[in-house]
Amino acid sequence: MTDRYTLDKGSLSKEISLLLHLLNAGSVDELAEQNPQQFTDIDWKLFIRLTLHHRVFPYLYPKLSRMKTTLIPVHVSERLQQEYRSNTVRMLQLSGEMARIGAELNKLGISSIFLKGPVLAEDLYGDFSLRTSRDLDFMVPIDRLAETEAFLLQQGYEKIEVYESILGDWKWREHHLTFNHPHSKIKLEVHWRLGPGPSAEPDFAELWKNARTSTLLGSDVRYLGREDLFLFLVSHGARHAWSRLRWLLDINKLLLQQPDTQRLLQLLKQYNCEAIAGQTLILAAGLLDTPLDSRLAALTDKPKAQRLAQDAIFYVARMVNLNDPPLEPEVEQHFKAYQPAILTTRNRMLRAAGFLYPYAVDARTLPLPKPLHVLYFPLRPFLWSWRKVTGRAEA
């Protein structure tokens, strides 16, 4: 960790602290020899649950498989071995589907960039079995989204959610569509933006220009360039409050590849991500001993970055799935304060302005002919007030 800022890690349990030390250690046996007391009084059932929640078990298991120390019970290694093998099978399945979909989209003349999944695991870890992936995320130009959707439906995928929209608000309020295959159980997220709006981000053409090519399983697929990938991972991790260590481990591996610092700093400034990048670097250095380039390390000086990093420790110390409501009251209250805190002043203003943009619920409250939908702009405050008065909880 840099000398500029030290995280308060007093809320971290012995189990999560041990997990962090094991992730950082080159050798489990060396760690056990140097500091055996770290392995005492450990709730090993909780430890296993933490490795699963933070999705770091495939990275941790190979280390445990080489250990000679008896300080970690055999049943821990055996359980992680089972999970590791299941994950390897799943990653093989995802890799095959990624290669197939990428090739088919290319035949249709639809450019695609894979954002995460096996291609990211192979690039960052050198082996796709060392990282988990629950689904495949890829991005297409928004003007090819309808064609992509039609193709996936033809392939047997089912669309999970349908966005209600008027006046095209879905294009910036949302950022992906989700599909699930009923037989293979593979889930796809098809992006037209890297993240939800309203916020500035690189467009598809810029991302494509800097994209790299992977030959995983013998099929060429495009994935994000290092600097664009860092921007994406930082925004994604901050939005989810770094509630899984796997996301920080990704950052650790990416920074070890030494992306172009100058271009990275330009991107972070251009897209108003300097504070959350500083948060990310503080967490990566403080929890995973990630070495920092001196120019990137300067981002950790920002008071906002320091506050946000300490706020994220609240989630690291807990097993919180922010995508699985209802949340515990303490967590919900904390997250409600955290979400606006990560935004810049400009993005908070954009979000507030976005609330004034008509929602589909306004059309349900007062149906108007489509040529008159523009009237929902002046009517929205009144329609929102009416729903509040009548007790309807919709936006």
Side-chain angles (χ1 to χ4, degrees), residues 180-324:
N180 187 63
H181 199 287
H183 302 302
S184 68
K185 306 303 180 184
I186 289 178
K187 188 170 82 170
L188 305 178
E189 288 189 359
V190 183
H191 290 241
W192 59 92
R193 290 176 52 90
L194 292 178
S199 60
E201 63 173 40
D203 61 21
F204 185 89
E206 183 179 352
L207 296 173
W208 181 262
K209 181 179 67 176
N210 298 311
R212 295 171 285 170
T213 301
S214 170
T215 56
L216 184 62
L217 294 189
S219 180
D220 293 347
V221 295
R222 302 278 281 182
Y223 66 110
L224 291 172
R226 286 192 177 92
E227 295 74 30
D228 294 327
L229 179 59
F230 184 84
L231 182 73
F232 170 63
L233 293 179
V234 162
S235 300
H236 178 271
R239 195 165 65 248
H240 292 83
W242 299 106
S243 52
R244 297 191 195 276
L245 289 174
R246 200 270 312 281
W247 297 325
L248 279 177
L249 197 58
D250 290 344
I251 293 292
N252 174 281
K253 297 300 181 185
L254 178 55
L255 288 177
L256 290 175
Q257 293 182 351
Q258 298 181 327
D260 184 328
T261 301
Q262 183 176 353
R263 180 169 184 269
L264 198 52
L265 289 171
Q266 290 173 345
L267 274 177
L268 296 172
K269 183 175 182 179
Q270 180 179 357
Y271 296 109
N272 302 305
C273 291
E274 290 175 300
I276 59 173
Q279 173 204 38
T280 304
L281 296 172
I282 291 168
L283 291 168
L287 298 178
L288 297 175
D289 295 336
T290 304
L292 302 182
D293 176 287
S294 59
R295 290 172 293 171
L296 286 178
L299 296 173
T300 68
D301 284 339
K302 296 179 179 294
K304 180 175 180 179
Q306 296 169 6
R307 290 194 304 271
L308 292 177
Q310 194 59 57
D311 283 344
I313 293 296
F314 175 90
Y315 302 94
V316 175
R318 293 164 173 77
M319 284 189 285
V320 176
N321 185 350
L322 295 170
N323 294 324
D324 188 20

Side-chain angles (χ1 to χ4, degrees), residues 74-199:
V74 173
H75 78 268
V76 174
S77 182
E78 290 177 344
R79 173 62 191 280
L80 296 191
Q81 181 186 54
Q82 294 173 7
E83 299 292 343
Y84 174 85
R85 288 176 174 173
S86 296
N87 180 65
T88 301
V89 172
R90 180 65 172 172
M91 292 297 280
L92 276 169
Q93 183 186 29
L94 289 175
S95 296
E97 187 68 346
M98 178 189 69
R100 188 183 73 84
I101 287 176
E104 292 298 322
L105 289 175
N106 187 52
K107 289 178 184 177
L108 295 172
I110 301 174
S111 301
S112 61
I113 303 174
F114 283 81
L115 304 177
K116 294 187 289 183
V119 67
L120 181 62
E122 182 75 17
D123 179 63
L124 296 183
Y125 298 83
D127 184 340
F128 63 64
S129 68
L130 299 182
R131 186 184 188 274
T132 67
S133 290
R134 296 291 181 90
D135 48 34
L136 292 173
D137 296 60
F138 64 92
M139 188 176 184
V140 298
I142 192 169
D143 61 353
R144 308 302 298 273
L145 186 62
E147 293 172 76
T148 304
E149 179 180 342
F151 161 71
L152 292 176
L153 294 176
Q154 291 173 356
Q155 301 298 307
Y157 281 92
E158 297 174 350
K159 194 174 179 180
I160 293 180
E161 77 272 86
V162 178
Y163 299 130
E164 289 188 279
S165 174
I166 58 173
L167 298 168
D169 61 322
W170 64 272
K171 294 179 182 179
W172 57 268
R173 289 197 202 276
E174 308 295 342
H175 63 292
H176 66 73
L177 294 172
T178 305
F179 297 83
N180 187 63
H181 199 287
H183 302 302
S184 68
K185 306 303 180 184
I186 289 178
K187 188 170 82 170
L188 305 178
E189 288 189 359
V190 183
H191 290 241
W192 59 92
R193 290 176 52 90
L194 292 178
S199 60

Side-chain angles (χ1 to χ4, degrees), residues 295-362:
R295 290 172 293 171
L296 286 178
L299 296 173
T300 68
D301 284 339
K302 296 179 179 294
K304 180 175 180 179
Q306 296 169 6
R307 290 194 304 271
L308 292 177
Q310 194 59 57
D311 283 344
I313 293 296
F314 175 90
Y315 302 94
V316 175
R318 293 164 173 77
M319 284 189 285
V320 176
N321 185 350
L322 295 170
N323 294 324
D324 188 20
L327 303 174
E328 294 181 6
E330 182 186 21
V331 174
E332 185 173 8
Q333 182 179 1
H334 193 283
F335 194 54
K336 281 183 178 179
Y338 173 85
Q339 285 179 300
I342 65 174
L343 301 177
T344 62
T345 300
R346 178 180 181 274
N347 282 347
R348 281 198 292 269
M349 292 175 65
L350 284 172
R351 179 166 290 189
F355 182 74
L356 298 175
Y357 197 99
Y359 284 74
V361 66
D362 296 319

Side-chain angles (χ1 to χ4, degrees), residues 48-93:
I48 291 172
R49 288 171 55 209
L50 284 167
T51 67
L52 300 179
H53 167 76
H54 288 289
R55 298 180 184 170
V56 293
F57 63 87
Y59 183 73
L60 184 60
Y61 168 69
K63 294 187 178 187
L64 299 187
S65 69
R66 296 189 294 267
M67 70 180 181
K68 297 179 181 178
T69 180
T70 58
L71 293 177
I72 298 179
V74 173
H75 78 268
V76 174
S77 182
E78 290 177 344
R79 173 62 191 280
L80 296 191
Q81 181 186 54
Q82 294 173 7
E83 299 292 343
Y84 174 85
R85 288 176 174 173
S86 296
N87 180 65
T88 301
V89 172
R90 180 65 172 172
M91 292 297 280
L92 276 169
Q93 183 186 29

